[in-house]
Every structure is written in structure tokens, then in C-alpha cells.
Amino acid sequence: MNVAFDHLVHLTERPEQAKGSFEQLGFTAIHGGRHEAWGTYNALCYFAPLSYIEWIGIADEQTANACQNPLIARLVADRQEGNGFSQFAFRTNDIQQLAVQLKSKGFTPIGPFSGSRQRDDGKLLTWAMLFIRDDTDGACRYPFFIQWDERDDVRMNELAPLMRHANGAPSLSSVSVYVRRLDRAVNSYRRLFDLPAANVGRDEAGTYAELTVGGVSLRFSQADEPSSTRPFACRIVGSKLQRRLELAGGTYIFSEL
């Protein structure tokens, strides 16, 4: 499956405050805009090669609660637990073919769904999203997939200034995820992405099983019951920072390597 890591979704009541916290650390971060059909708005921080963190908040509760898009439904449900990371997405350049591949592997794709956001400069951004029905009995949550209506090279050229940061040349290295059944979660992701056996490692959160997909490492940690299956930390490497930031229910770990 030919995909690249696209973005990590961080649910927060105040995306603008998360943006400000990153700016204070020397990151370039921007106000994104409103998703009128979803009742949400966001702020963004981009990294080479074309990945980003999305801080997303609810602007219109009535619209968000009625929205049928699985991403927004998940955000509304996660909001009951509080702020924190929610989901992550992989980018594809052929979402229809991806749906066919998923079906051939026994998965049930949901969508595609269309999405749009109008930037402050008036430009309308559009994309398509594809989700997967849970077949793990809640052992983990699957990522979703996104196809932008502009080519990667066009987006790379336009977003290049936003990938320059005063604190170095940072990139998103890993996402740590809690799962309820470690073996089942890892095997489901291996089947999804055609991956070899997971590596075992240890970091600040303890022992994890690691799979590398689309340029990022996914680190799966067994959750103590009862617990959610949300991502709980991400590592950003390549900056001059050596610190840990607890921000709106999510943990950011910054290091040179």
C-alpha cells in the first residue's frame, strides 16, 4: 500500500492556544480556518516532508453533533473524555484504488467523504477521506486516509515557508498509541499495511511494539483497562529542543534524534 503519513489530529477546546504554545518554542504555526459543514475550526503546524499536526476544536456544537463524517463523530465522542490526540491520517493519491485494496484484504471501507476548508486568504482547500470499519472488537482504532485535490508537489511548493522553523529542522518521527489488545492491534495494522513483524522497544512510556508506515513509526502500548485507544504522545525530532511538553491532554516529546 503506497501511503505517506499526513497528519495527527489533536482535539482541543482552544486550537489558538496550542498554536501559541508551539510558537513560543520556535515553531511556525498558523490559523487554519473553519470547516463550515462540520462545525469545527483548526490551527496547524507543518513539517517536512508534507506532514502536520492539526489542533482542532468545536466551533458549532449543533453542527458537529449532527455531522455524519466519521472523523467528526469520533471527535464528538472523544470530547467526552477530554482534550487530547484523537486520530491520524495517511495520504494517498488514489483513494478509490485504496478502497479496492482494502476490500481485497477483508476490510470494510467507509466513504469516501468530501471535506473542505476556506483559508483566511479566501482559497478553498478540498479533499476526500476514507475510513475503515472496526473489525478488532475495540482492540484499537484504525487510521483514516486522505487524498488532497492538489498534487503533492503543488502543496509542497506552497507550504514550504510553513515548514521552516526557528528551532531547527523538525520532523514528526513517531506517534504512540494505546491499544486494548496489543497482539490483535499489531496484527491488524500489519495486515492493513502489509508489514513485517513489529520491533520491540522501550521509551518514556515503557515497552512498545513498533511498526513503521509511510515515514513515521507507530508505537503501540498496552493500555490498562479501562482506557481509550487514542494516541497519547508524539515525538518530534530535528529541533534544538530537548524537552517534554504536556499540551491540552497530549504529550509532545522534542529531541535532536
Side-chain angles (χ1 to χ4, degrees):
M1 185 182 294
N2 184 22
V3 297
F5 187 84
D6 193 74
H7 69 281
L8 173 63
V9 180
H10 188 161
L11 172 66
T12 172
E13 295 299 316
R14 298 293 298 276
E16 59 275 16
Q17 289 186 351
K19 168 182 173 290
S21 295
F22 261 59
E23 289 174 328
Q24 290 175 7
L25 294 174
F27 290 96
T28 300
I30 63 167
H31 171 67
R34 292 176 66 97
H35 313 101
E36 296 293 347
W38 297 350
T40 58
Y41 73 109
N42 65 10
L44 310 163
C45 184
Y46 287 93
F47 306 97
L50 213 57
S51 63
Y52 65 98
I53 294 168
E54 176 186 26
W55 299 292
I56 189 167
I58 306 296
D60 182 334
E61 292 196 21
Q62 183 174 0
T63 299
N65 290 338
C67 184
Q68 299 301 305
N69 184 293
L71 170 63
I72 307 306
R74 172 61 71 182
L75 291 174
V76 169
D78 283 346
R79 197 177 184 212
Q80 304 308 308
E81 297 179 9
N83 292 336
F85 299 122
S86 178
Q87 297 193 68
F88 48 89
F90 288 91
R91 188 169 62 256
T92 177
N93 59 10
D94 192 340
I95 207 163
Q96 297 292 348
Q97 179 59 31
L98 179 61
V100 172
Q101 292 177 355
L102 292 174
K103 288 180 181 178
S104 72
K105 296 178 182 182
F107 294 99
T108 303
I110 304 172
F113 294 83
S114 61
S116 66
R117 170 173 64 84
Q118 188 162 24
R119 298 191 319 204
D120 288 345
D121 64 5
K123 181 175 179 176
L124 183 66
L125 303 179
T126 57
W127 61 86
M129 310 163 71
L130 187 71
F131 299 85
I132 304 173
R133 181 168 297 156
D134 178 25
D135 63 357
T136 70
D137 297 327
C140 62
R141 68 176 62 175
Y142 285 125
F144 65 95
F145 300 91
I146 187 167
Q147 180 177 342
W148 296 91
D149 286 344
E150 287 186 324
R151 298 194 319 268
D152 281 0
D153 59 335
V154 174
R155 296 181 65 239
M156 180 74 78
N157 183 63
E158 184 174 10
L159 296 171
L162 302 180
M163 300 181 198
R164 302 188 189 112
H165 304 275
N167 58 27
S171 62
L172 203 156
S173 173
S174 67
V175 177
S176 297
V177 186
Y178 279 131
V179 296
R180 291 197 177 102
R181 294 176 58 188
L182 186 59
D183 288 346
R184 182 156 190 181
V186 169
N187 288 334
S188 294
Y189 268 73
R190 287 181 61 202
R191 179 167 63 99
L192 176 60
F193 291 108
D194 301 317
L195 297 173
N199 295 317
V200 177
R202 187 172 181 82
D203 62 10
E204 300 86 350
T207 302
Y208 60 80
E210 181 179 64
L211 298 172
T212 300
V213 187
V216 74
S217 295
L218 303 179
R219 296 180 173 181
F220 299 94
S221 296
Q222 179 72 49
D224 295 329
E225 293 289 354
S227 179
S228 75
T229 53
R230 295 167 70 168
F232 64 89
C234 79
R235 183 179 296 273
I236 296 171
V237 301
S239 75
K240 301 172 185 176
L241 302 171
Q242 297 285 326
R243 60 168 298 175
R244 180 188 183 100
L245 173 67
E246 302 294 338
L247 177 64
T251 299
Y252 293 89
I253 302 166
F254 305 105
S255 64
E256 291 183 343
L257 299 174

